[in-house]
Amino acid sequence: MSATDVGDGVIDNIIIDSAAHRWWGLLTLIVLAAAVTLLTWDVGKGRAATPSTRWSFLAAQIALVGQALLGIKLLDQGQGIVQLYIHYIGGLIPLGAFLAGGWLARGDTPRSARILLILLVVGLASGVMAFTIGQAYVNG
């Protein structure tokens, strides 16, 4: 028995329903919108991101990574090939917004919180775009 025989195809044997991607996507948008709302509140008060806002960032990032992993698995299953570019561009821009935020604006000062808010609004808009276009392809 070779090393490739052990666990060969275990991931391939797991089949993910595309509805899981849709529902997780909706959850992701809700969590991302909550993070943007909390940060908007902090920026409106002229302060840096509060600890609860930072926790919402973590929840949004976890949801985004989960959504990306579900999407990759669905692409591996041969689903959603038509939407490939929509998913890669529109779906990964929110992760890029968090990455850019980590480099440019962590929200630890009022000024960086404003910059981070702009990045996250762009990420949320991109996520909404990817979700709605994806739904149009599924429904049409």
Side-chain angles (χ1 to χ4, degrees), residues 47-66:
R47 62 183 179 211
T50 61
S52 60
T53 301
R54 290 183 177 280
W55 280 106
S56 73
F57 296 163
L58 177 63
Q61 290 173 47
I62 290 170
L64 284 164
V65 169

Side-chain angles (χ1 to χ4, degrees), residues 19-102:
H21 188 55
R22 180 176 50 251
W23 286 109
W24 191 267
L26 185 59
L27 173 72
T28 300
L29 290 179
I30 291 168
V31 173
L32 188 55
V36 168
T37 300
L38 288 172
L39 186 57
T40 300
W41 180 262
D42 291 339
V43 167
K45 295 284 186 180
R47 62 183 179 211
T50 61
S52 60
T53 301
R54 290 183 177 280
W55 280 106
S56 73
F57 296 163
L58 177 63
Q61 290 173 47
I62 290 170
L64 284 164
V65 169
Q67 180 68 348
L69 291 174
L70 281 171
I72 289 167
K73 177 58 181 151
L74 286 171
L75 288 172
D76 179 56
Q77 291 173 197
Q79 297 180 7
I81 298 301
V82 174
Q83 302 177 47
L84 188 64
Y85 294 110
I86 295 165
H87 279 84
Y88 279 139
I89 295 169
L92 293 178
I93 285 175
L95 281 175
F98 276 104
L99 183 64

Side-chain angles (χ1 to χ4, degrees), residues 101-126:
W103 288 335
L104 304 172
R106 296 185 313 221
D108 51 355
T109 66
R111 182 178 182 275
S112 71
R114 289 190 302 271
I115 295 168
L116 183 59
L117 179 60
I118 292 167
L119 291 170
L120 294 187
V121 166
V122 168
L124 176 60
S126 174

